[in-house]
Amino acid sequence: MTITKQANKYLLCWASCVLGALALIAWLNWFINPFSIFDAPAVAGINANKPNYVAHLRLTHPYRIENLQPECTIFGTSRAGRGLAPDQPALAGLGCYNVAVPSVSMYEIRRYFQHVQAIKPQKLVILSLDLRVFHPEPDTSGAFSESRLAVTADGQNQFNLFSAKLPDLASSLLSVSGLQASLSTVRKQSWGKDTLAANGFWQPLTDDFDHIKTFRFYTRSYVQQFKEMQQNIDGFRKSLDDFRQLLRQAYVEGVEVKLIIHPAHAWYWQTLWLSDLWPRFEAMQQEIVNINAEEALRAGHQPNQIWDFSGSYGPALEAVPAQPSQLMHWFWEPAHYKKTLGYLVMDRVMGVRSGNAEFADFGARLDSGGLPEYQAKLRGLQESYATNYPADAAAIGTIVKQAATEMDRTAAKVDP
């Protein structure tokens, strides 16, 4: 009897220690909140910055949307994440949330829009567009989960307590990976150059940036991306159908959608030009205009505004620094722009008078006609770019040729 009592006491003590340890781990993971899904306090130097937030956004956004229930949302790729700040003056008082995700597909954007609408009907949606969302990469990470969303792809309510919410809760609070993420978050508080703001914006923590290095690196990367896009015509067509379905739902449900085609630096547009992808870009513009007009007519509404900020003019011609220590005002690298340019973009979109008179005419409306003339204007600007900026054009041309040669060599090794 004594041995049995001692054994029971030992088991009780052991169980208490295990439960205590699990409770401590769960509290630590809740407090550090590395995946930004809990309403934990942010303490500077401990958990305020989320250095690995980009990798977790497909987990973060569905639950953050449920918690915040915004009535205004911004959708797009990392360009929207870094450039379109929800708290900028043009969006003041709207309580917008930025649902930007890196390399996001139009299908995924449509599903996040369905999720947001199911949580709380939107008063305003900013849908930012570029070639990337219409040319999706295969998702091999498995990070995007349909089961986390409030509705299925056909719009039916989805009960996901056991399929998503409880597993995600357990993984975030009690898993080894959750604990590792928390420890990494604490350790890297002062390492990161940006973090995830409460409104979903990718908030920079420093302006320290080597623009020369990143302009060259990303230009090489875009050559590869543009070649893959050239070959992905099926993905382009499928994405256009997802775009149509998103607009159709928005028109039917009375959601105001403002469509934006992102600005980019002239280096990006010249790389696109030399990569022979310009015709695809023009096809994208045309399809956006056509689908928007068709769905508006179908619903009996006026077409949504389409604002295009593409082309090598205005802020896109900002000089690339000659020294690593020099900073740029409008851009991080060829495709990603700073919120300073995002402010200018949203001022135009929202009809707010900009304080920058020099670029007051930056951007053009495409929903009111004149697309062929506008496209001819952009082509003319690009054709004259090499003449007006010979040094930059030569540097871009060299990078494009070298990258293309390396891709051809790699392809020859894989398929001799």
Side-chain angles (χ1 to χ4, degrees):
M1 194 68 172
T2 303
I3 296 177
T4 301
K5 288 183 178 180
Q6 289 178 340
N8 289 340
K9 186 176 180 180
Y10 170 78
L11 289 174
L12 180 61
C13 180
W14 181 85
S16 299
C17 290
V18 170
L19 291 175
L22 290 175
L24 180 61
I25 291 172
W27 178 87
L28 176 65
N29 288 337
W30 174 87
F31 175 69
I32 301 301
N33 194 21
F35 308 126
S36 302
I37 62 175
F38 303 119
D39 190 21
V43 181
I46 298 178
N47 69 342
N49 297 333
K50 309 298 182 185
N52 301 317
Y53 72 92
V54 173
H56 308 314
L57 286 174
R58 287 174 170 87
L59 169 64
T60 301
H61 284 325
Y63 295 118
R64 185 74 72 83
I65 288 167
E66 287 190 11
N67 292 335
L68 297 178
Q69 298 191 11
E71 294 181 317
C72 166
T73 40
I74 301 170
F75 294 94
T77 63
S78 55
R79 295 164 79 174
R82 298 189 187 283
L84 300 178
D87 59 355
Q88 60 186 281
L91 298 174
L94 295 177
C96 291
Y97 181 77
N98 194 322
V99 199
V101 175
S103 301
V104 69
S105 67
M106 182 54 68
Y107 173 78
E108 197 173 343
I109 290 176
R110 179 172 73 85
R111 294 292 286 119
Y112 286 133
F113 172 69
Q114 289 179 302
H115 178 68
V116 169
Q117 272 295 96
I119 298 299
K120 190 164 190 176
Q122 297 298 282
K123 293 182 178 178
L124 175 65
V125 165
I126 308 295
L127 180 55
S128 60
L129 305 168
D130 54 23
L131 280 168
R132 168 56 69 198
V133 301
F134 288 104
H135 296 82
E137 295 177 332
D139 180 18
T140 57
S141 68
F144 173 62
S145 173
E146 299 267 5
S147 62
R148 290 191 182 112
L149 307 181
V151 293
T152 60
D154 59 1
Q156 300 300 311
N157 290 334
Q158 181 168 234
F159 181 74
N160 57 8
L161 177 64
F162 298 106
S163 62
K165 290 185 177 180
L166 288 180
D168 284 340
L169 181 66
S171 178
S172 299
L173 292 178
L174 296 171
S175 70
V176 173
S177 60
L179 180 59
Q180 290 174 333
S182 291
L183 296 176
S184 177
T185 297
V186 174
R187 185 165 58 94
K188 296 179 180 179
Q189 279 297 290
S190 60
W191 293 14
K193 291 191 174 184
D194 57 7
T195 188
L196 186 67
N199 57 19
F201 182 61
W202 301 15
Q203 181 67 48
L205 298 174
T206 176
D207 279 335
D208 185 17
F209 206 77
D210 187 342
H211 295 290
I212 301 175
K213 183 178 179 180
T214 52
F215 260 70
R216 294 180 177 275
F217 172 83
Y218 278 100
T219 297
R220 295 177 67 88
S221 173
Y222 295 141
V223 175
Q224 175 69 37
Q225 286 185 22
F226 293 157
K227 183 175 182 179
E228 293 171 355
M229 290 179 186
Q230 189 75 263
Q231 299 168 346
N232 192 12
I233 187 64
D234 291 339
F236 179 55
R237 291 169 180 159
K238 173 63 171 62
S239 296
L240 290 172
D241 184 59
D242 287 317
F243 175 65
R244 181 184 295 277
Q245 291 185 56
L246 188 157
L247 287 188
R248 181 170 296 179
Q249 179 182 355
Y251 276 121
V252 168
E253 297 178 1
V255 180
E256 181 183 8
V257 178
K258 292 184 182 293
L259 303 165
I260 297 174
I261 297 177
H262 284 293
H265 194 273
W267 271 55
Y268 176 91
W269 301 119
Q270 184 67 3
T271 305
L272 186 78
W273 184 268
L274 295 177
S275 299
D276 297 324
L277 201 62
W278 198 274
R280 182 72 60 81
F281 178 74
E282 290 190 345
M284 182 195 78
Q285 290 174 310
Q286 185 68 68
E287 291 289 355
I288 290 171
V289 171
N290 291 348
I291 292 171
N292 184 50
E294 291 164 5
E295 292 305 316
L297 180 63
R298 185 178 187 274
H301 292 287
Q302 288 296 313
N304 294 314
Q305 292 184 14
I306 305 173
W307 282 90
D308 187 298
F309 296 93
S310 62
S312 295
Y313 72 102
L317 296 175
E318 181 179 13
V320 179
Q323 302 295 328
S325 59
Q326 295 176 317
L327 300 179
M328 297 183 72
H329 181 68
W330 301 115
F331 289 92
W332 295 108
E333 37 86 0
H336 293 87
Y337 51 95
K338 297 184 177 182
K339 69 177 182 179
T340 48
L341 185 51
Y343 282 14
L344 191 63
V345 166
M346 290 311 304
D347 282 349
R348 290 283 280 160
V349 171
M350 300 300 293
V352 175
R353 184 180 295 276
S354 174
N356 193 316
E358 181 181 1
F359 301 122
D361 61 347
F362 182 53
R365 285 275 297 274
L366 301 187
D367 55 284
S368 53
L371 180 59
E373 295 78 10
Y374 176 70
Q375 290 179 328
K377 173 187 174 182
L378 294 185
R379 284 196 301 271
L381 290 171
Q382 210 57 49
E383 287 169 349
S384 62
Y385 178 76
T387 301
N388 297 333
Y389 299 88
D392 282 356
I396 298 167
T398 298
I399 295 171
V400 170
K401 289 180 181 178
Q402 289 176 346
T405 299
E406 290 178 8
M407 285 189 295
D408 290 341
R409 288 174 179 170
T410 301
K413 291 178 180 178
V414 173
D415 187 20

